[in-house]
Amino acid sequence: MYSGRQEALIKPLLDKFTQQSGIAVNLVTGKGDALLSRIKAEGQFTEADVLLVADVGRLVRAKDMGLTQAIESADVTDVAKKYWVEETKQWVALTKRARPIMVRKGTFDDAPITGLEQLVGTEFINSICIRSSSNIYNQSMVSALIEIWGDEKTLAWAKGMVANFARSPKGGDRDQIKALAAGECDVAIANTYYLGGMLTSKDQDTRQVAQQIEVVWYDQGENEMGVHVNVSGAAITKYAKNKENAEKLLAYMLTETAQKWYAEVNHEYPVIEGVAVSQELASFGEFKGQTVPLTKIGENNAKALMLMDRAGWK
């Protein structure tokens, strides 16, 4: 397996699979784009049977680069249901990750934030912390908005966001949460699993930072779009030498046992219905997610990058 996820976030699950199946999994970790380049360069000589990445944009990119093949096992494609499987079965989603607004507890009690469009209002000048436009999570969020709103409205929103940045984008999602707790901004956008991980950190200071933050699920009305949802997912590589075992691994990762582990340990939302989430995720409350086709998020990536550049989003 070539994995864009850190070893600590995937190896315990692979070890459980090996104990249960007797199939050994050799794990190679790295940055998502670097792994795609490596598989392409290795061609038919690649050792990779499975590619695991943390964003749908890279899954679409892997397919477009000709690095994947169809998943034939019904234990994978039927379990994941239609929405979580690419239409030609070139990849499958394994977990959901939501990207809501976050605020300091009590900050907006008198005037709650209910919609993403509110953030471009003049009352939010110098208020927003968010990662740079080079971050794939932000690219996918904007890609989804392009699909929902169209180019013109999304560009206007992106320009409004840039005008309201509290600082030049820097750092990862945890850095946005820390800056929010420190009062450097009043609003942050970050994936929920980062906050969940901070709440369960062994470091007391990190836990105290996270305990100051609450999640805002935006655009939750009946006719509203819902919060942006991305996925982590996996594909079988084009030249996989162990396809049957690779499909067994993907099937295992979609079992209730594996999905529950993801939810409890990594604080990500299961793609399988009925699997309980962690106590931390449950404390954030339930939400309605966007229903943009996942492939569209990946396909709009280049357009999203150009749009963010036009908006001055560094």
Side-chain angles (χ1 to χ4, degrees):
M1 172 184 278
Y2 283 12
S3 171
R5 308 206 65 172
Q6 297 175 18
E7 183 173 335
L9 300 180
I10 186 64
K11 193 170 188 306
L13 196 59
L14 301 182
D15 289 343
K16 289 177 184 289
F17 168 73
T18 297
Q19 291 168 9
Q20 188 176 105
S21 67
I23 300 169
V25 182
N26 299 309
L27 179 65
V28 175
T29 59
K31 297 292 185 181
D33 289 334
L35 292 176
L36 295 184
S37 297
R38 177 171 175 175
I39 294 172
K40 183 177 181 180
E42 290 172 342
Q44 62 181 315
F45 302 107
T46 186
E47 294 296 321
D49 297 298
V50 176
L51 170 68
L52 176 68
V53 289
D55 181 272
V56 70
R58 291 195 178 97
L59 290 171
V60 172
R61 199 172 300 164
K63 178 198 171 187
D64 290 345
M65 292 170 67
L67 305 181
T68 64
Q69 62 173 290
I71 300 166
E72 296 177 324
S73 171
D75 291 336
V76 178
T77 57
D78 289 358
V79 171
K81 307 299 183 187
K82 184 176 179 180
Y83 186 74
W84 306 113
V85 181
E86 194 272 333
E87 58 186 9
T88 60
K89 303 181 180 180
Q90 296 291 311
W91 49 260
V92 61
L94 299 175
T95 63
K96 297 182 286 185
R97 37 254 304 277
R99 195 162 182 78
I101 293 168
M102 296 185 188
V103 300
R104 289 186 305 281
K105 290 178 178 177
T107 305
F108 294 97
D109 284 355
D110 294 334
I113 301 171
T114 59
L116 194 62
E117 290 182 78
Q118 282 179 255
L119 298 187
V120 302
T122 54
E123 67 271 30
F124 288 99
I125 290 175
N126 298 322
S127 293
I128 300 170
C129 282
I130 192 168
R131 290 169 80 156
S132 76
S133 61
S134 65
N135 172 246
I136 191 74
Y137 304 149
N138 283 341
Q139 292 169 17
S140 290
M141 181 177 69
V142 172
S143 294
L145 292 178
I146 289 172
E147 194 64 26
I148 297 168
W149 288 344
D151 295 7
E152 186 176 335
K153 183 175 178 178
T154 304
L155 176 60
W157 175 83
K159 287 180 177 178
M161 287 286 287
V162 171
N164 288 346
F165 284 172
R167 61 179 189 177
S168 223
K170 61 180 179 179
D173 278 16
R174 289 185 183 85
D175 296 303
Q176 315 313 314
I177 295 169
K178 291 175 183 177
L180 177 60
E184 293 182 45
C185 45
D186 294 319
V187 174
I189 292 181
N191 287 355
T192 46
Y193 63 87
Y194 287 107
L195 183 60
M198 292 174 72
L199 285 168
T200 56
S201 172
K202 295 179 181 179
D203 180 70
Q204 182 178 352
D205 291 341
T206 300
R207 293 197 306 273
Q208 289 177 342
V209 165
Q211 288 162 4
Q212 300 176 52
I213 307 303
E214 66 179 330
V215 169
V216 175
W217 300 114
Y218 55 80
D219 295 298
Q220 295 295 291
E222 183 178 352
N223 297 316
E224 295 179 314
M225 65 180 178
V227 74
H228 174 61
V229 174
N230 206 325
V231 299
S232 72
I236 307 292
T237 61
K238 181 177 180 178
Y239 295 108
K241 300 175 181 64
N242 302 285
K243 182 178 181 181
E244 183 179 349
N245 286 346
E247 290 187 334
K248 288 179 181 178
L249 173 57
L250 295 189
Y252 173 77
M253 295 176 81
L254 290 166
T255 61
E256 185 173 344
T257 298
Q259 291 278 297
K260 187 175 181 181
W261 182 87
Y262 260 123
E264 292 181 349
V265 177
N266 291 348
H267 306 289
E268 296 182 53
Y269 294 93
V271 296
I272 304 303
E273 293 181 7
V275 178
V277 299
S278 68
Q279 181 179 338
E280 289 70 32
L281 287 185
S283 73
F284 302 156
E286 295 184 355
F287 66 93
K288 178 179 78 172
Q290 294 170 1
T291 56
V292 178
L294 295 174
T295 52
K296 290 294 184 182
I297 296 176
E299 290 169 2
N300 288 342
N301 183 269
K303 186 185 289 188
L305 266 172
M306 289 188 287
L307 186 148
M308 294 167 86
D309 185 60
R310 287 176 61 196
W313 192 327
K314 304 299 184 184

Short mmCIF file of all heavy atoms in Angstrom, two decimals, residues 7-17 261:
data_model
loop_
_atom_site.label_atom_id
_atom_site.label_comp_id
_atom_site.label_asym_id
_atom_site.label_seq_id
_atom_site.Cartn_x
_atom_site.Cartn_y
_atom_site.Cartn_z
N GLU A 7 1.50 7.01 9.01
CA GLU A 7 1.53 5.62 9.45
C GLU A 7 0.64 5.37 10.66
O GLU A 7 -0.10 4.38 10.72
CB GLU A 7 2.97 5.21 9.77
CG GLU A 7 3.10 3.75 10.17
CD GLU A 7 4.56 3.32 10.32
OE1 GLU A 7 5.43 3.93 9.69
OE2 GLU A 7 4.80 2.35 11.07
N ALA A 8 0.67 6.29 11.63
CA ALA A 8 -0.09 6.09 12.86
C ALA A 8 -1.60 6.06 12.61
O ALA A 8 -2.35 5.49 13.41
CB ALA A 8 0.24 7.20 13.86
N LEU A 9 -2.04 6.66 11.50
CA LEU A 9 -3.46 6.75 11.21
C LEU A 9 -3.99 5.58 10.38
O LEU A 9 -5.19 5.51 10.11
CB LEU A 9 -3.76 8.07 10.47
CG LEU A 9 -3.40 9.35 11.22
CD1 LEU A 9 -3.76 10.56 10.37
CD2 LEU A 9 -4.11 9.40 12.57
N ILE A 10 -3.11 4.68 9.99
CA ILE A 10 -3.55 3.56 9.15
C ILE A 10 -2.94 2.21 9.55
O ILE A 10 -3.60 1.17 9.45
CB ILE A 10 -3.24 3.86 7.65
CG1 ILE A 10 -3.83 2.79 6.74
CG2 ILE A 10 -1.75 4.01 7.41
CD1 ILE A 10 -5.34 2.71 6.77
N LYS A 11 -1.70 2.19 10.07
CA LYS A 11 -1.03 0.91 10.30
C LYS A 11 -1.75 0.01 11.32
O LYS A 11 -1.82 -1.21 11.10
CB LYS A 11 0.41 1.13 10.75
CG LYS A 11 1.22 -0.17 10.69
CD LYS A 11 2.69 0.05 10.90
CE LYS A 11 3.47 -1.25 10.64
NZ LYS A 11 2.98 -2.38 11.42
N PRO A 12 -2.29 0.56 12.42
CA PRO A 12 -3.00 -0.34 13.35
C PRO A 12 -4.14 -1.10 12.67
O PRO A 12 -4.37 -2.28 12.98
CB PRO A 12 -3.54 0.62 14.41
CG PRO A 12 -2.58 1.76 14.40
CD PRO A 12 -2.21 1.93 12.95
N LEU A 13 -4.81 -0.46 11.72
CA LEU A 13 -5.89 -1.13 11.01
C LEU A 13 -5.34 -2.19 10.06
O LEU A 13 -5.91 -3.29 9.94
CB LEU A 13 -6.70 -0.09 10.21
CG LEU A 13 -8.07 -0.52 9.70
CD1 LEU A 13 -8.97 -0.94 10.86
CD2 LEU A 13 -8.71 0.61 8.92
N LEU A 14 -4.21 -1.90 9.43
CA LEU A 14 -3.58 -2.89 8.54
C LEU A 14 -3.11 -4.10 9.33
O LEU A 14 -3.21 -5.24 8.85
CB LEU A 14 -2.41 -2.25 7.79
CG LEU A 14 -2.74 -1.02 6.93
CD1 LEU A 14 -1.48 -0.53 6.22
CD2 LEU A 14 -3.84 -1.35 5.92
N ASP A 15 -2.60 -3.85 10.52
CA ASP A 15 -2.15 -4.97 11.38
C ASP A 15 -3.33 -5.86 11.76
O ASP A 15 -3.20 -7.10 11.80
CB ASP A 15 -1.47 -4.43 12.63
CG ASP A 15 -0.12 -3.79 12.33
OD1 ASP A 15 0.44 -4.04 11.24
OD2 ASP A 15 0.39 -3.03 13.19
N LYS A 16 -4.48 -5.26 12.04
CA LYS A 16 -5.67 -6.04 12.38
C LYS A 16 -6.10 -6.89 11.18
O LYS A 16 -6.49 -8.06 11.34
CB LYS A 16 -6.81 -5.10 12.79
CG LYS A 16 -6.63 -4.42 14.13
CD LYS A 16 -7.78 -3.46 14.42
CE LYS A 16 -7.59 -2.69 15.71
NZ LYS A 16 -7.74 -3.56 16.89
N PHE A 17 -6.00 -6.30 9.99
CA PHE A 17 -6.35 -7.05 8.77
C PHE A 17 -5.41 -8.24 8.59
O PHE A 17 -5.86 -9.35 8.27
CB PHE A 17 -6.25 -6.12 7.57
CG PHE A 17 -6.30 -6.83 6.24
CD1 PHE A 17 -7.49 -7.37 5.77
CD2 PHE A 17 -5.16 -6.96 5.44
CE1 PHE A 17 -7.55 -8.03 4.54
CE2 PHE A 17 -5.21 -7.62 4.22
CZ PHE A 17 -6.40 -8.16 3.77
N TRP A 261 -13.33 1.71 14.03
CA TRP A 261 -11.97 2.10 14.44
C TRP A 261 -11.63 3.48 13.88
O TRP A 261 -11.12 4.34 14.60
CB TRP A 261 -10.96 1.07 13.94
CG TRP A 261 -9.55 1.37 14.35
CD1 TRP A 261 -8.94 1.00 15.51
CD2 TRP A 261 -8.58 2.13 13.61
NE1 TRP A 261 -7.65 1.48 15.54
CE2 TRP A 261 -7.39 2.18 14.40
CE3 TRP A 261 -8.60 2.77 12.38
CZ2 TRP A 261 -6.24 2.85 13.98
CZ3 TRP A 261 -7.45 3.44 11.96
CH2 TRP A 261 -6.30 3.47 12.75
#
